Amino acid sequence: MDASCDLEVDVNGEEVFMVDKKVLSSYSGSFKKMFSKSKCGKRNLKVIFHDFPGGAENFELITRFCYNNSKVDINPFNITDLNCAAYFMEMNKFVTGSQNLLEQTEKSLEDTRYWTWSELMVALKRCQNFLPVASSSGILEKCLDSVIGRVASSCETSPCPSVSSPDSSKFRASCDTRSSESLKSSFLRVAWWFEDLVQLDIHLIEMLVKSMVSRNFNHNIIIKFLFYYQKSRLASAFSDEKIRMVEAVVEMLYSLDLSTVSYKSLFGMLRVSLHVNINKCCRNKLEIMIGSQLDQATLDDLLVPSPVRARYLYDVNLVLRLVKSFLAKGVWCLPLSRLKKVASLVDLYIAEVAPDPHLKPSKFLALIRALPDSARDSFDGIYHSVDLYLEVHSGLSEEEKTRVCRGLDYEKLSSDALNHLAQNKKFPSKSAVEALNFQQCRLKNLLQCTNQPNNFTNSPVFHKTGSMEKKDEPREQIVLYAGKLDFSTENERIRAHIQGMQWRVLELEKICKKMQIQMTKIMKSRLSNHSNAKSVPRLCS
């Protein structure tokens, strides 16, 4: 053993080096501090490294630098390792006649603009092998900046508006969009780097995206890359890696312009998250993003299977949370067209889950009431779903059935639906009577509206026939007709109104007679079942 080699260095358990501590101490601040307290006479010292950047191979390069008067070949393939090792060993002290290793590597990084894309990617990928040191030394940030600059320049980027500017609602395309076909081609031109960056660790991706956002990159391009990254990496990732990846991607998406996030991709991510145990905060953010675009969803998107321990078929609680997210900013802030789209979608969902024998009445009613009544022009679809639910859940008590029926808005039920409800034995009698009352009230209001004297009293086509004094007739009949008169142009509207009213009154008279018969049957049924005070009579068909 050479007498000058008085220091034994064990590098990460890979290899042991015998070196001159005086030589290494003259270049390394950490070695100098380490031996400054030791006694001069002490020999055969030993240093053990457990996390030396780049391992034994890189430590050998460091010793060559020290023994070669600060000379070592620095290239894109070893610059990351040398820079991190120099930072780790504090090789930043002034050396007479030459630059220290840290300065040399930093100077070499200034030439990254001359590196090929492959060389740049090699240096960046090496950074993820020792992230803490690479991040602290600054080489990671410089490599990321070079990558982003290369992507931007290759796409002939024009500056995008800042997020805070008035024009930031829609980000301009990153590539030239002067021709009619440029939208598709520009995306292909900026997506060439997707495959190369898929190999990076999720932590590097987070730093990359953060830097892109700060430079006002097109959010749509970033979003597409994130979905591409997740799809490419998820299949081969371990369980813990999947959780970390999904959570990180959700967090990054949440920081972007939500209007550019594809709802189909979000639903796909939601289905992925069902198989991994992501944290509640992350899941809430994912549901908020989906809920904000709920009007673009389809029924198939909402048919998410229920959690493992739940007995019901579909995840009703998820849909309730999505609707809540959709309404988060207030009903008054939403265009009526979007609100009605969601109402139609929820109505389809309600019809789909109604036959589920394990769906509790409270959840079913919560689905109906999740949206305000103003979102629906008609409740006929809800009525048919309630009808189906009561048929499947025939064992419900009268009170539970009545509670479910409270979700119906009788004013928005058609005459056919009200008539069907009044004769429907599956519904509680209280609901049937209420339907009849609404039908009668509707008819009465219409007849009163028809019989307004100030509307048509002066018209030669308004006549009454039949006598009110005749007690043999069950009901006064009102007949309206339009004579064969020569109406002027300004009276055409009145004639059309009268003709339409004539047919409607005749139709409503028929409905009224049917309801009178219905009410008679109900009264008879009440009398026949009067002995049983606890039971409420059902309506006859």
Side-chain angles (χ1 to χ4, degrees):
M1 181 184 297
D2 192 340
S4 62
C5 296
D6 54 356
L7 177 63
E8 184 179 352
V9 182
D10 184 339
V11 182
N12 300 350
E14 299 173 7
E15 193 172 345
V16 176
F17 293 85
M18 297 301 301
V19 294
D20 188 335
K21 70 176 183 180
K22 185 177 181 180
V23 174
L24 265 66
S25 297
S26 63
Y27 290 93
S28 170
S30 61
F31 271 141
K32 187 174 183 178
K33 292 176 184 177
M34 190 183 305
F35 303 128
S36 62
K37 297 179 181 180
S38 62
K39 295 180 180 180
C40 298
K42 192 169 182 179
R43 304 180 63 82
N44 299 326
L45 298 174
K46 184 174 183 180
V47 175
I48 300 176
F49 289 119
H50 296 288
D51 52 356
F52 189 87
E57 183 178 353
N58 198 37
F59 184 80
E60 184 177 349
L61 288 176
I62 296 297
T63 57
R64 289 182 181 179
F65 173 83
C66 297
Y67 279 98
N68 256 354
N69 288 329
S70 307
K71 295 178 182 179
V72 68
D73 179 34
I74 301 176
N75 56 63
F77 302 97
N78 64 16
I79 189 170
T80 302
D81 298 56
L82 288 174
N83 178 269
C84 292
Y87 182 84
F88 181 82
M89 296 185 67
E90 300 180 18
M91 300 179 72
N92 55 353
K93 61 179 293 186
F94 177 75
V95 180
T96 304
S98 62
Q99 290 180 320
N100 60 60
L101 182 57
L102 194 60
E103 287 179 344
Q104 290 188 36
T105 55
E106 289 177 349
K107 186 177 181 179
S108 296
L109 285 172
E110 296 175 1
D111 298 329
T112 53
R113 62 183 181 275
Y114 302 116
W115 293 2
T116 65
W117 174 257
S118 298
E119 291 173 337
L120 192 57
M121 290 307 301
V122 167
L124 184 58
K125 289 176 183 177
R126 291 296 297 170
C127 287
Q128 64 188 3
N129 293 336
F130 19 86
L131 277 177
V133 180
S135 181
S136 300
S137 68
I139 188 173
L140 177 57
E141 183 179 356
K142 292 179 180 178
C143 288
L144 284 174
D145 286 343
S146 297
V147 168
I148 295 172
R150 192 71 59 89
V151 171
S153 61
S154 67
C155 295
E156 300 176 0
T157 311
S158 61
C160 295
S162 64
V163 176
S164 59
S165 68
D167 299 328
S168 63
S169 58
K170 297 294 181 182
F171 283 81
R172 293 196 299 270
S174 293
C175 299
D176 186 18
T177 56
R178 287 173 289 183
S179 66
S180 58
E181 299 178 355
S182 62
L183 186 59
K184 182 177 179 179
S185 62
S186 63
F187 171 70
L188 294 176
R189 290 169 61 190
V190 298
W192 61 268
W193 48 273
F194 283 15
E195 186 63 34
D196 292 319
L197 296 187
V198 161
Q199 306 302 321
L200 298 180
D201 183 81
I202 188 63
H203 181 71
L204 289 186
I205 298 300
E206 288 178 306
M207 296 182 67
L208 181 76
V209 169
K210 184 177 180 180
S211 182
M212 284 181 166
V213 171
S214 67
R215 295 187 180 196
N216 295 325
F217 257 63
N218 187 313
H219 283 208
N220 189 41
I221 298 297
I222 299 175
I223 289 165
K224 289 183 181 298
F225 167 69
L226 289 175
F227 283 123
Y228 183 87
Y229 178 86
Q230 178 185 270
K231 183 179 179 181
S232 302
R233 292 288 298 266
L234 208 59
S236 59
F238 295 107
S239 178
D240 292 343
E241 293 174 335
K242 288 181 179 179
I243 295 173
R244 172 75 177 97
M245 189 182 304
V246 172
E247 289 178 349
V249 171
V250 169
E251 291 289 344
M252 286 184 279
L253 290 173
Y254 194 74
S255 67
L256 300 174
D257 180 10
L258 297 183
S259 64
T260 62
V261 182
S262 166
Y263 79 94
K264 284 192 175 295
S265 299
L266 288 173
F267 270 108
M269 179 172 285
L270 178 65
R271 293 181 184 276
V272 169
S273 69
L274 296 176
H275 302 288
V276 295
N277 189 26
I278 63 175
N279 64 67
K280 187 176 180 180
C281 179
C282 179
R283 190 180 298 276
N284 289 341
K285 289 181 178 180
L286 179 57
E287 292 175 1
I288 288 173
M289 288 189 286
I290 295 174
S292 66
Q293 303 184 56
L294 194 57
D295 55 314
Q296 300 181 42
T298 64
L299 178 60
D300 288 338
D301 294 327
L302 296 186
L303 296 178
V304 177
S306 62
V308 178
R309 292 182 295 274
R311 298 181 62 192
Y312 44 91
L313 187 59
Y314 296 112
D315 195 344
V316 174
N317 291 325
L318 170 64
V319 174
L320 290 173
R321 294 195 299 271
L322 294 180
V323 174
K324 183 178 179 181
S325 296
F326 179 74
L327 301 173
K329 294 182 179 180
V331 178
W332 56 89
C333 295
L334 292 169
L336 189 58
S337 58
R338 293 188 65 194
L339 194 60
K340 290 184 181 297
K341 280 185 180 180
V342 173
S344 299
L345 177 63
V346 172
D347 288 357
L348 290 175
Y349 183 80
I350 292 173
E352 191 71 26
V353 300
D356 186 352
H358 299 294
L359 183 61
K360 295 180 179 180
S362 59
K363 292 297 180 184
F364 185 71
L365 182 60
L367 282 172
I368 298 174
R369 290 182 167 177
L371 289 166
D373 289 349
S374 59
R376 298 183 176 95
D377 293 326
S378 171
F379 265 71
D380 284 12
I382 295 295
Y383 164 69
H384 291 304
S385 296
V386 173
D387 181 36
L388 180 58
Y389 183 81
L390 294 180
E391 181 179 351
V392 175
H393 300 78
S394 57
L396 294 178
S397 66
E398 197 79 0
E399 182 181 355
E400 289 176 316
K401 291 181 180 180
T402 302
R403 191 180 300 115
V404 169
C405 292
R406 288 174 186 166
L408 292 173
D409 186 344
Y410 292 89
E411 292 183 359
K412 292 188 177 182
L413 288 176
S414 65
S415 296
D416 289 339
L418 286 172
N419 288 336
H420 190 274
L421 194 160
Q423 303 175 58
N424 198 332
K425 295 182 179 181
K426 295 189 288 291
F427 279 71
S429 58
K430 183 177 180 180
S431 298
V433 172
E434 191 171 358
L436 285 173
N437 289 337
F438 267 93
Q439 187 76 310
Q440 280 190 323
C441 183
R442 184 180 296 175
L443 178 60
K444 181 179 179 181
N445 292 337
L446 182 59
L447 292 176
Q448 288 177 350
C449 179
T450 305
N451 202 23
Q452 289 288 339
N454 58 343
N455 287 340
F456 305 108
T457 301
N458 298 326
S459 173
V461 296
F462 184 88
H463 297 280
K464 279 188 181 180
T465 62
S467 175
M468 294 182 63
E469 286 78 20
K470 292 182 181 181
K471 296 182 179 180
D472 296 337
E473 295 186 8
R475 184 177 180 84
E476 178 188 5
Q477 294 186 353
I478 300 174
V479 179
L480 301 173
Y481 65 90
K484 296 181 179 180
L485 301 177
D486 185 18
F487 286 89
S488 60
T489 304
E490 58 267 22
N491 290 331
E492 284 296 322
R493 181 181 59 82
I494 299 177
R495 182 178 66 175
H497 180 78
I498 293 175
Q499 288 176 338
M501 190 66 71
Q502 174 187 359
W503 290 107
R504 188 161 188 183
V505 169
L506 293 175
E507 180 184 3
L508 290 175
E509 284 179 347
K510 295 177 183 179
I511 295 173
C512 186
K513 289 179 181 179
K514 289 182 180 179
M515 286 194 296
Q516 286 179 331
I517 297 172
Q518 194 86 37
M519 292 297 294
T520 303
K521 289 183 178 181
I522 291 175
M523 297 305 297
K524 290 180 180 180
S525 177
R526 287 179 179 276
L527 293 173
S528 62
N529 296 306
H530 183 69
S531 58
N532 188 0
K534 293 184 179 180
S535 64
V536 181
R538 295 184 180 276
L539 294 176
C540 299
S541 58

